[in-house]
Amino acid sequence: MVTRVYVPKDSTALSLGADEVVAALRKAKAPIEIIRTGTRGMLWLEPLVEVETSAGRIAYGPVSADDVPGLLAAGLLTGASHALRIGKPEDHPYLKTQQRLTFARVGIVDPSSVEDYIAHGGYRGLERALTMAPADIVKTVADSGLRGRGGAAFPTGIKWKTVLDQNEPQKYVTCNADEGDSGTFADRMLIEGDPLTLVEGMTIAGLAVNATMGYVYLRVEYPEAIDTLRAAIAAAYKAGYLGASIKGSGKCFDLSVRVAAGAYVCGEETSMLESLEGRRGEVRVRPPLPAIKGLFGKPTIVNNVISLASVPVILERGADFYKNFGVGRSMGTLPIQLAGNLKQGGLVERAFGVTLREVLYDYGGGSASGRPIRTIQMGGPLGAYIPPSDFDTPIDYEALAAVGALVGHGGIVAFDDTVDMAKMARYAFEFCAVESCGKCTPCRIGSTRGANLIDNLLAGNKPAEQRALLEGLCDTMLQGSLCGLGGMTPFPVQSAMKHFPEDFAPRGRH
Amino acid sequence: MSIVEANEVEQAAVESALQRFGQEPGPLLVVLHAVQDHLGYIPTTSIPAIAERLNLSRAEVHGVLTFYHHFRTHPQGRRVVQICRAEACQARGGEALEAHAKQCLGVDYHGTTADGGTTLEAIYCMGNCATGPSIRIDGKLHSHVTAARFDKLMATRGTH
Ligand SMILES: Cc1cc2nc3c(=O)[nH]c(=O)nc-3n(C[C@H](O)[C@H](O)[C@H](O)COP(=O)(O)O)c2cc1C
Ligand code: SF4
Ligand code: FES
C-alpha cells in the first residue's frame, strides 16, 4: 500500500529545508506518495511532515533532512511515536482554538488541484453565486459585515455596490497582493496554500458586479507564490472554472497575474492601478474613486487577498454565519500574523475580539529570546508601537483605534527589551524616504529631514528644539500627505516617542 | 562574448519580450520583467526600441525603469544576496546580520564585490517574518540567518 506523506512547499517551510526533507523521504524503501501542501501556520514547527494513517493525519516537526532516516526507522509511515511527533495537527492547542474560515483548507490541500479543492468544500460559494442575481451577491457580502482586510477596513459590500451601479460594459476586479507590510504573510500563505479560494472569490466578485476580467497584482518578492497562483489559475481554466463560460453557465471570467516590481507604495490602491497600467506607481488624487474610474478608467473593484478569499465561505454559508463571528462593527474573522521576536510565530485566524495578550502569549508563547516583550508594532511599518500596558486591548478596529493603533493587515511584530525605539522611529522615516512616490513634499523631503532630526536629538544638539521640530514635522506629514505612506509614518514615530521617551534622551558618543 | 554578440543577445531578449507581451493592456511592466528575467537586467540601450514599439516616450520608459526598486540597468554579480531590512527581521537580530554581511563582503547595498562575484541587495520583507533574519541567495530563501549561518551559506554555495 502506498502511504501518503504531506510536506509543505510554503516558502517559510522551504527556507527551513522542506525540499531537502522531501529528497530524504524519497529514499524510503516503502512506497510513498509525497503531496506538497501549504503550511498549517505553526511556523516554528516547519518543516512539518504529515503522514496519512487510519487514525487521520499525524504530524512530526520540525523535521530536518538528517532526522528522516531515524524517523522512518521509528515507524514514521505508521504514525509511530518519536520525539518529533506532534500528533494530529488539528488537536494541537495552536490550531484547536482557532476559527479557520478563510484559511480552512490551507496546509491541508494540494494547492494546484481543483479536484482536491472541491473534495474539501471548494467552489460551493461559486455554485450558489451562479444561481443568484448580481445585486443579491452584493447584498450577501454587505450583510456579512466584511470590511477590507488590506488596511483601510472599508466595507466590501458598499464598494462592490458602487461598481455594480456603474453603467459600463467593461469593469475589472483587481486583487491587491502587494503585501508590503513587514510582519504580514497571510496573503502569501493563502496563495501558496489554497490559491483557488482567492480564484473563487475573485470569480464571485466578477459575477457580483458584471466584470469579466480580473488581475492579481502580486509582489515580486514572492516568487514561490507567483508560481503557485499561476499553476492554480491554469488548473481552474482546465477544469472549466475560469474562461468564456464558467461551468457552462454562459458567464465569463478571465484572470491573470501581474507581477509587481518592488515599490511599497504600489500597495496603495491607486498607485497599484497606475502600476497595472504600466506606469510609475504615483498615487492618484481622489475623487474619482477606483470603483467609478479605476483600471484603464473603468469601474474597478480593488480588494485585498484576504477580503476576496473570505467571500467564498460567506456565499457558501450565508451572511449571518460569517457575521456571528466577531464583535461590534468588526465582524467575521481575522488572520492574525505573529512575527518578529516570538517563540511560536505563525498564523492565527480568530474572530475579532481576542486580545493582544492572548495572541502574544497563549499562541505566540512569549518572546523567542526569553526576554520580556517591550513593544509590538501592529499593522505594518505605518502602524503605531504599542506598549505592554495596552496588551489587554481586544483586536477589533475600534478598540485598537481607541489606543492609537491599527489592525491594518493583521500582522504583529514583537520586540524584546533590547529594542532601541529611537532607532525604530528613525527607521520609519528612512523607510518612508526609500519608498515615497515623490508626489508630496512633506513625504518626499520630510522623511529624510525626520531621520536627521532624530540623529540631532540623540546627539544632544539642542534637544528641546529638535523635539519641537519633530512634532511640527509629524503634524505637517499627517496633514499634508496625499496617501498613507507620508500620512501615517508619524504613527510609529510619535507612538515610540510617547511610550518610550527614555530612548530619545541625548546619548554620549560611543 | 564579444560586444557585438552581447548586443545581439540583448536585442533578441527585448524583441522576444515585445513579441510575447507587447499586446497586453498596459504592457510596459510586463515587458520590462520579461527582459530582466531573461538577461538579469534591462539595458538602457533598449529604451528607444521599447518606447517606439509600445507607443510611449523614452522619458516614460525611463521613468518607469527608475521608479521601481526591482528593475536595474546593469548586470549583477554571479551570486546575489538579498538581506531583509524590515522590522520583523530586525526584531530577530537582522541588523547584526546586515553589518556582518557588509563587512564580510566588503560592500554596501547595491554593491558588487571587486571580483564581480557577489552582489548585495537590501529587500524589505519577503513574508518570512516569523523565522527571520531572512535572506535569499540566488533566489533561495533562508531562515534564522545568524552571522555564523551566513558564513556557512556563503561557503557552501560559494562557487564563484
Ligand atoms: C502606502 C500604502 C500601502 C498599502 N499597501 C497595501 C497592500 O500591500 N495590500 C493591500 O491589500 N492594501 C494595501 N493598502 C491599502 C489599499 O490602499 C486599499 O485600501 C486596499 O487594497 C483595499 O482593499 P480592501 O478593501 O480589501 O482592504 C495600502 C495603503 C497604503 C496607503
Ligand atoms: S504621501 Fe508620499 S507616497 Fe503618498 S502620495 Fe504623497 S509622496 Fe507619494
Ligand atoms: S520582515 Fe523580513 S521577511 Fe518579513
Side-chain angles (χ1 to χ4, degrees), chain A residues 225-256:
Chain A
I226 295 169
D227 290 346
T228 308
L229 182 57
R230 286 199 163 132
I233 289 174
Y237 269 106
K238 201 156 164 240
Y241 281 97
L242 283 173
S245 176
I246 303 160
K247 279 283 139 189
S249 65
K251 297 192 173 141
C252 164
F253 191 68
D254 284 304
L255 186 55
S256 174

PDB file of all heavy atoms in Angstrom, chain A residues 225-256:
ATOM      1  N   ALA A 225       4.975  32.150  -4.476  1.00  0.00           N
ATOM      2  CA  ALA A 225       3.530  32.402  -4.568  1.00  0.00           C
ATOM      3  C   ALA A 225       3.125  32.667  -6.022  1.00  0.00           C
ATOM      4  O   ALA A 225       2.045  32.253  -6.452  1.00  0.00           O
ATOM      5  CB  ALA A 225       3.142  33.590  -3.679  1.00  0.00           C
ATOM      6  N   ILE A 226       3.969  33.355  -6.764  1.00  0.00           N
ATOM      7  CA  ILE A 226       3.664  33.639  -8.172  1.00  0.00           C
ATOM      8  C   ILE A 226       3.484  32.317  -8.923  1.00  0.00           C
ATOM      9  O   ILE A 226       2.500  32.118  -9.639  1.00  0.00           O
ATOM     10  CB  ILE A 226       4.784  34.491  -8.821  1.00  0.00           C
ATOM     11  CG1 ILE A 226       4.851  35.873  -8.165  1.00  0.00           C
ATOM     12  CG2 ILE A 226       4.561  34.626 -10.333  1.00  0.00           C
ATOM     13  CD1 ILE A 226       6.083  36.697  -8.547  1.00  0.00           C
ATOM     14  N   ASP A 227       4.409  31.405  -8.730  1.00  0.00           N
ATOM     15  CA  ASP A 227       4.325  30.109  -9.424  1.00  0.00           C
ATOM     16  C   ASP A 227       3.079  29.338  -9.012  1.00  0.00           C
ATOM     17  O   ASP A 227       2.376  28.772  -9.854  1.00  0.00           O
ATOM     18  CB  ASP A 227       5.563  29.251  -9.112  1.00  0.00           C
ATOM     19  CG  ASP A 227       6.820  29.813  -9.770  1.00  0.00           C
ATOM     20  OD1 ASP A 227       6.678  30.695 -10.658  1.00  0.00           O
ATOM     21  OD2 ASP A 227       7.921  29.381  -9.399  1.00  0.00           O
ATOM     22  N   THR A 228       2.817  29.296  -7.711  1.00  0.00           N
ATOM     23  CA  THR A 228       1.670  28.519  -7.223  1.00  0.00           C
ATOM     24  C   THR A 228       0.357  29.097  -7.742  1.00  0.00           C
ATOM     25  O   THR A 228      -0.537  28.362  -8.162  1.00  0.00           O
ATOM     26  CB  THR A 228       1.656  28.487  -5.680  1.00  0.00           C
ATOM     27  OG1 THR A 228       2.937  28.065  -5.230  1.00  0.00           O
ATOM     28  CG2 THR A 228       0.610  27.532  -5.147  1.00  0.00           C
ATOM     29  N   LEU A 229       0.242  30.417  -7.725  1.00  0.00           N
ATOM     30  CA  LEU A 229      -1.002  31.029  -8.186  1.00  0.00           C
ATOM     31  C   LEU A 229      -1.195  30.797  -9.686  1.00  0.00           C
ATOM     32  O   LEU A 229      -2.300  30.483 -10.140  1.00  0.00           O
ATOM     33  CB  LEU A 229      -1.023  32.525  -7.857  1.00  0.00           C
ATOM     34  CG  LEU A 229      -2.309  33.259  -8.252  1.00  0.00           C
ATOM     35  CD1 LEU A 229      -3.539  32.626  -7.604  1.00  0.00           C
ATOM     36  CD2 LEU A 229      -2.236  34.735  -7.872  1.00  0.00           C
ATOM     37  N   ARG A 230      -0.123  30.933 -10.445  1.00  0.00           N
ATOM     38  CA  ARG A 230      -0.253  30.709 -11.893  1.00  0.00           C
ATOM     39  C   ARG A 230      -0.672  29.266 -12.183  1.00  0.00           C
ATOM     40  O   ARG A 230      -1.515  29.019 -13.045  1.00  0.00           O
ATOM     41  CB  ARG A 230       1.063  31.043 -12.605  1.00  0.00           C
ATOM     42  CG  ARG A 230       1.275  32.544 -12.680  1.00  0.00           C
ATOM     43  CD  ARG A 230       2.290  32.933 -13.751  1.00  0.00           C
ATOM     44  NE  ARG A 230       2.158  34.349 -14.060  1.00  0.00           N
ATOM     45  CZ  ARG A 230       3.172  35.206 -14.126  1.00  0.00           C
ATOM     46  NH1 ARG A 230       4.413  34.791 -13.931  1.00  0.00           N
ATOM     47  NH2 ARG A 230       2.954  36.476 -14.417  1.00  0.00           N
ATOM     48  N   ALA A 231      -0.117  28.325 -11.433  1.00  0.00           N
ATOM     49  CA  ALA A 231      -0.484  26.917 -11.642  1.00  0.00           C
ATOM     50  C   ALA A 231      -1.956  26.703 -11.291  1.00  0.00           C
ATOM     51  O   ALA A 231      -2.683  25.985 -11.989  1.00  0.00           O
ATOM     52  CB  ALA A 231       0.407  26.010 -10.792  1.00  0.00           C
ATOM     53  N   ALA A 232      -2.410  27.334 -10.226  1.00  0.00           N
ATOM     54  CA  ALA A 232      -3.806  27.168  -9.804  1.00  0.00           C
ATOM     55  C   ALA A 232      -4.760  27.771 -10.834  1.00  0.00           C
ATOM     56  O   ALA A 232      -5.819  27.195 -11.139  1.00  0.00           O
ATOM     57  CB  ALA A 232      -4.024  27.817  -8.434  1.00  0.00           C
ATOM     58  N   ILE A 233      -4.398  28.924 -11.375  1.00  0.00           N
ATOM     59  CA  ILE A 233      -5.251  29.559 -12.387  1.00  0.00           C
ATOM     60  C   ILE A 233      -5.328  28.667 -13.631  1.00  0.00           C
ATOM     61  O   ILE A 233      -6.413  28.442 -14.188  1.00  0.00           O
ATOM     62  CB  ILE A 233      -4.736  30.981 -12.719  1.00  0.00           C
ATOM     63  CG1 ILE A 233      -5.001  31.911 -11.527  1.00  0.00           C
ATOM     64  CG2 ILE A 233      -5.399  31.526 -13.988  1.00  0.00           C
ATOM     65  CD1 ILE A 233      -4.407  33.308 -11.665  1.00  0.00           C
ATOM     66  N   ALA A 234      -4.198  28.120 -14.027  1.00  0.00           N
ATOM     67  CA  ALA A 234      -4.195  27.224 -15.191  1.00  0.00           C
ATOM     68  C   ALA A 234      -5.094  26.017 -14.922  1.00  0.00           C
ATOM     69  O   ALA A 234      -5.872  25.593 -15.789  1.00  0.00           O
ATOM     70  CB  ALA A 234      -2.768  26.777 -15.506  1.00  0.00           C
ATOM     71  N   ALA A 235      -5.030  25.478 -13.706  1.00  0.00           N
ATOM     72  CA  ALA A 235      -5.864  24.319 -13.364  1.00  0.00           C
ATOM     73  C   ALA A 235      -7.345  24.693 -13.381  1.00  0.00           C
ATOM     74  O   ALA A 235      -8.194  23.907 -13.825  1.00  0.00           O
ATOM     75  CB  ALA A 235      -5.463  23.772 -11.995  1.00  0.00           C
ATOM     76  N   ALA A 236      -7.663  25.895 -12.908  1.00  0.00           N
ATOM     77  CA  ALA A 236      -9.064  26.338 -12.893  1.00  0.00           C
ATOM     78  C   ALA A 236      -9.595  26.502 -14.318  1.00  0.00           C
ATOM     79  O   ALA A 236     -10.740  26.144 -14.613  1.00  0.00           O
ATOM     80  CB  ALA A 236      -9.201  27.646 -12.111  1.00  0.00           C
ATOM     81  N   TYR A 237      -8.760  27.037 -15.213  1.00  0.00           N
ATOM     82  CA  TYR A 237      -9.168  27.126 -16.628  1.00  0.00           C
ATOM     83  C   TYR A 237      -9.452  25.737 -17.184  1.00  0.00           C
ATOM     84  O   TYR A 237     -10.461  25.494 -17.835  1.00  0.00           O
ATOM     85  CB  TYR A 237      -8.068  27.794 -17.471  1.00  0.00           C
ATOM     86  CG  TYR A 237      -8.216  29.302 -17.585  1.00  0.00           C
ATOM     87  CD1 TYR A 237      -7.383  30.157 -16.877  1.00  0.00           C
ATOM     88  CD2 TYR A 237      -9.183  29.869 -18.419  1.00  0.00           C
ATOM     89  CE1 TYR A 237      -7.508  31.537 -16.982  1.00  0.00           C
ATOM     90  CE2 TYR A 237      -9.319  31.250 -18.532  1.00  0.00           C
ATOM     91  CZ  TYR A 237      -8.479  32.084 -17.817  1.00  0.00           C
ATOM     92  OH  TYR A 237      -8.613  33.437 -17.924  1.00  0.00           O
ATOM     93  N   LYS A 238      -8.529  24.828 -16.900  1.00  0.00           N
ATOM     94  CA  LYS A 238      -8.633  23.487 -17.456  1.00  0.00           C
ATOM     95  C   LYS A 238      -9.911  22.794 -16.982  1.00  0.00           C
ATOM     96  O   LYS A 238     -10.557  22.062 -17.731  1.00  0.00           O
ATOM     97  CB  LYS A 238      -7.393  22.686 -17.032  1.00  0.00           C
ATOM     98  CG  LYS A 238      -7.135  21.513 -17.911  1.00  0.00           C
ATOM     99  CD  LYS A 238      -5.659  21.094 -17.886  1.00  0.00           C
ATOM    100  CE  LYS A 238      -5.555  19.690 -18.453  1.00  0.00           C
ATOM    101  NZ  LYS A 238      -4.984  18.733 -17.483  1.00  0.00           N
ATOM    102  N   ALA A 239     -10.272  23.059 -15.725  1.00  0.00           N
ATOM    103  CA  ALA A 239     -11.464  22.407 -15.170  1.00  0.00           C
ATOM    104  C   ALA A 239     -12.746  23.170 -15.497  1.00  0.00           C
ATOM    105  O   ALA A 239     -13.823  22.806 -15.030  1.00  0.00           O
ATOM    106  CB  ALA A 239     -11.293  22.270 -13.653  1.00  0.00           C
ATOM    107  N   GLY A 240     -12.630  24.249 -16.266  1.00  0.00           N
ATOM    108  CA  GLY A 240     -13.828  24.982 -16.675  1.00  0.00           C
ATOM    109  C   GLY A 240     -14.341  25.982 -15.657  1.00  0.00           C
ATOM    110  O   GLY A 240     -15.463  26.475 -15.776  1.00  0.00           O
ATOM    111  N   TYR A 241     -13.543  26.297 -14.644  1.00  0.00           N
ATOM    112  CA  TYR A 241     -13.968  27.260 -13.628  1.00  0.00           C
ATOM    113  C   TYR A 241     -13.561  28.688 -13.951  1.00  0.00           C
ATOM    114  O   TYR A 241     -13.896  29.622 -13.223  1.00  0.00           O
ATOM    115  CB  TYR A 241     -13.433  26.854 -12.248  1.00  0.00           C
ATOM    116  CG  TYR A 241     -14.254  25.750 -11.633  1.00  0.00           C
ATOM    117  CD1 TYR A 241     -13.865  24.417 -11.735  1.00  0.00           C
ATOM    118  CD2 TYR A 241     -15.448  26.049 -10.973  1.00  0.00           C
ATOM    119  CE1 TYR A 241     -14.638  23.407 -11.186  1.00  0.00           C
ATOM    120  CE2 TYR A 241     -16.219  25.044 -10.419  1.00  0.00           C
ATOM    121  CZ  TYR A 241     -15.815  23.723 -10.528  1.00  0.00           C
ATOM    122  OH  TYR A 241     -16.587  22.738  -9.986  1.00  0.00           O
ATOM    123  N   LEU A 242     -12.798  28.868 -15.007  1.00  0.00           N
ATOM    124  CA  LEU A 242     -12.478  30.210 -15.496  1.00  0.00           C
ATOM    125  C   LEU A 242     -12.656  30.161 -17.002  1.00  0.00           C
ATOM    126  O   LEU A 242     -12.638  29.089 -17.601  1.00  0.00           O
ATOM    127  CB  LEU A 242     -11.022  30.592 -15.167  1.00  0.00           C
ATOM    128  CG  LEU A 242     -10.686  31.011 -13.735  1.00  0.00           C
ATOM    129  CD1 LEU A 242      -9.170  31.179 -13.587  1.00  0.00           C
ATOM    130  CD2 LEU A 242     -11.390  32.305 -13.331  1.00  0.00           C
ATOM    131  N   GLY A 243     -12.817  31.336 -17.611  1.00  0.00           N
ATOM    132  CA  GLY A 243     -12.898  31.374 -19.059  1.00  0.00           C
ATOM    133  C   GLY A 243     -14.249  31.832 -19.556  1.00  0.00           C
ATOM    134  O   GLY A 243     -15.032  32.453 -18.808  1.00  0.00           O
ATOM    135  N   ALA A 244     -14.541  31.491 -20.795  1.00  0.00           N
ATOM    136  CA  ALA A 244     -15.686  32.079 -21.507  1.00  0.00           C
ATOM    137  C   ALA A 244     -17.033  31.694 -20.907  1.00  0.00           C
ATOM    138  O   ALA A 244     -17.988  32.462 -20.948  1.00  0.00           O
ATOM    139  CB  ALA A 244     -15.633  31.669 -22.971  1.00  0.00           C
ATOM    140  N   SER A 245     -17.121  30.511 -20.341  1.00  0.00           N
ATOM    141  CA  SER A 245     -18.403  30.089 -19.778  1.00  0.00           C
ATOM    142  C   SER A 245     -18.127  29.246 -18.535  1.00  0.00           C
ATOM    143  O   SER A 245     -17.876  28.049 -18.612  1.00  0.00           O
ATOM    144  CB  SER A 245     -19.187  29.281 -20.817  1.00  0.00           C
ATOM    145  OG  SER A 245     -20.375  28.795 -20.244  1.00  0.00           O
ATOM    146  N   ILE A 246     -18.179  29.912 -17.375  1.00  0.00           N
ATOM    147  CA  ILE A 246     -17.823  29.242 -16.122  1.00  0.00           C
ATOM    148  C   ILE A 246     -18.760  28.069 -15.889  1.00  0.00           C
ATOM    149  O   ILE A 246     -19.969  28.255 -15.713  1.00  0.00           O
ATOM    150  CB  ILE A 246     -17.933  30.208 -14.928  1.00  0.00           C
ATOM    151  CG1 ILE A 246     -17.054  31.438 -15.142  1.00  0.00           C
ATOM    152  CG2 ILE A 246     -17.573  29.519 -13.631  1.00  0.00           C
ATOM    153  CD1 ILE A 246     -17.462  32.615 -14.290  1.00  0.00           C
ATOM    154  N   LYS A 247     -18.232  26.886 -15.921  1.00  0.00           N
ATOM    155  CA  LYS A 247     -19.011  25.661 -15.697  1.00  0.00           C
ATOM    156  C   LYS A 247     -20.295  25.650 -16.544  1.00  0.00           C
ATOM    157  O   LYS A 247     -21.361  25.255 -16.079  1.00  0.00           O
ATOM    158  CB  LYS A 247     -19.349  25.513 -14.204  1.00  0.00           C
ATOM    159  CG  LYS A 247     -18.197  24.940 -13.398  1.00  0.00           C
ATOM    160  CD  LYS A 247     -18.076  23.443 -13.619  1.00  0.00           C
ATOM    161  CE  LYS A 247     -16.701  22.893 -13.760  1.00  0.00           C
ATOM    162  NZ  LYS A 247     -16.584  21.520 -14.175  1.00  0.00           N
ATOM    163  N   GLY A 248     -20.174  26.114 -17.786  1.00  0.00           N
ATOM    164  CA  GLY A 248     -21.313  26.054 -18.691  1.00  0.00           C
ATOM    165  C   GLY A 248     -22.429  27.047 -18.398  1.00  0.00           C
ATOM    166  O   GLY A 248     -23.524  26.948 -18.943  1.00  0.00           O
ATOM    167  N   SER A 249     -22.152  28.025 -17.526  1.00  0.00           N
ATOM    168  CA  SER A 249     -23.202  28.979 -17.130  1.00  0.00           C
ATOM    169  C   SER A 249     -23.431  30.058 -18.181  1.00  0.00           C
ATOM    170  O   SER A 249     -24.402  30.811 -18.099  1.00  0.00           O
ATOM    171  CB  SER A 249     -22.797  29.664 -15.823  1.00  0.00           C
ATOM    172  OG  SER A 249     -21.627  30.452 -16.060  1.00  0.00           O
ATOM    173  N   GLY A 250     -22.508  30.158 -19.133  1.00  0.00           N
ATOM    174  CA  GLY A 250     -22.595  31.255 -20.095  1.00  0.00           C
ATOM    175  C   GLY A 250     -21.983  32.538 -19.557  1.00  0.00           C
ATOM    176  O   GLY A 250     -21.889  33.533 -20.254  1.00  0.00           O
ATOM    177  N   LYS A 251     -21.540  32.524 -18.280  1.00  0.00           N
ATOM    178  CA  LYS A 251     -20.902  33.717 -17.702  1.00  0.00           C
ATOM    179  C   LYS A 251     -19.392  33.591 -17.797  1.00  0.00           C
ATOM    180  O   LYS A 251     -18.842  32.512 -17.563  1.00  0.00           O
ATOM    181  CB  LYS A 251     -21.325  33.890 -16.255  1.00  0.00           C
ATOM    182  CG  LYS A 251     -22.820  34.124 -16.190  1.00  0.00           C
ATOM    183  CD  LYS A 251     -23.278  34.592 -14.852  1.00  0.00           C
ATOM    184  CE  LYS A 251     -24.751  34.962 -14.930  1.00  0.00           C
ATOM    185  NZ  LYS A 251     -25.497  34.561 -13.752  1.00  0.00           N
ATOM    186  N   CYS A 252     -18.766  34.726 -18.142  1.00  0.00           N
ATOM    187  CA  CYS A 252     -17.334  34.705 -18.433  1.00  0.00           C
ATOM    188  C   CYS A 252     -16.537  35.346 -17.303  1.00  0.00           C
ATOM    189  O   CYS A 252     -16.968  36.347 -16.714  1.00  0.00           O
ATOM    190  CB  CYS A 252     -17.119  35.477 -19.739  1.00  0.00           C
ATOM    191  SG  CYS A 252     -15.415  35.949 -20.026  1.00  0.00           S
ATOM    192  N   PHE A 253     -15.391  34.775 -16.979  1.00  0.00           N
ATOM    193  CA  PHE A 253     -14.436  35.485 -16.124  1.00  0.00           C
ATOM    194  C   PHE A 253     -13.028  35.007 -16.451  1.00  0.00           C
ATOM    195  O   PHE A 253     -12.745  33.813 -16.404  1.00  0.00           O
ATOM    196  CB  PHE A 253     -14.740  35.278 -14.636  1.00  0.00           C
ATOM    197  CG  PHE A 253     -13.954  36.208 -13.747  1.00  0.00           C
ATOM    198  CD1 PHE A 253     -14.215  37.579 -13.748  1.00  0.00           C
ATOM    199  CD2 PHE A 253     -12.937  35.729 -12.930  1.00  0.00           C
ATOM    200  CE1 PHE A 253     -13.485  38.455 -12.945  1.00  0.00           C
ATOM    201  CE2 PHE A 253     -12.207  36.593 -12.124  1.00  0.00           C
ATOM    202  CZ  PHE A 253     -12.478  37.956 -12.129  1.00  0.00           C
ATOM    203  N   ASP A 254     -12.173  35.958 -16.795  1.00  0.00           N
ATOM    204  CA  ASP A 254     -10.767  35.668 -17.057  1.00  0.00           C
ATOM    205  C   ASP A 254      -9.919  36.251 -15.953  1.00  0.00           C
ATOM    206  O   ASP A 254     -10.260  37.279 -15.369  1.00  0.00           O
ATOM    207  CB  ASP A 254     -10.350  36.266 -18.404  1.00  0.00           C
ATOM    208  CG  ASP A 254     -10.868  35.447 -19.572  1.00  0.00           C
ATOM    209  OD1 ASP A 254     -10.557  34.236 -19.601  1.00  0.00           O
ATOM    210  OD2 ASP A 254     -11.597  36.000 -20.408  1.00  0.00           O
ATOM    211  N   LEU A 255      -8.808  35.590 -15.674  1.00  0.00           N
ATOM    212  CA  LEU A 255      -7.977  36.000 -14.545  1.00  0.00           C
ATOM    213  C   LEU A 255      -6.507  35.879 -14.910  1.00  0.00           C
ATOM    214  O   LEU A 255      -6.089  34.886 -15.510  1.00  0.00           O
ATOM    215  CB  LEU A 255      -8.299  35.111 -13.336  1.00  0.00           C
ATOM    216  CG  LEU A 255      -7.658  35.449 -12.003  1.00  0.00           C
ATOM    217  CD1 LEU A 255      -7.933  36.884 -11.594  1.00  0.00           C
ATOM    218  CD2 LEU A 255      -8.173  34.502 -10.916  1.00  0.00           C
ATOM    219  N   SER A 256      -5.756  36.899 -14.532  1.00  0.00           N
ATOM    220  CA  SER A 256      -4.347  36.926 -14.903  1.00  0.00           C
ATOM    221  C   SER A 256      -3.513  37.477 -13.742  1.00  0.00           C
ATOM    222  O   SER A 256      -4.002  38.293 -12.956  1.00  0.00           O
ATOM    223  CB  SER A 256      -4.232  37.818 -16.151  1.00  0.00           C
ATOM    224  OG  SER A 256      -2.918  38.010 -16.502  1.00  0.00           O
TER     225      SER A 256
END
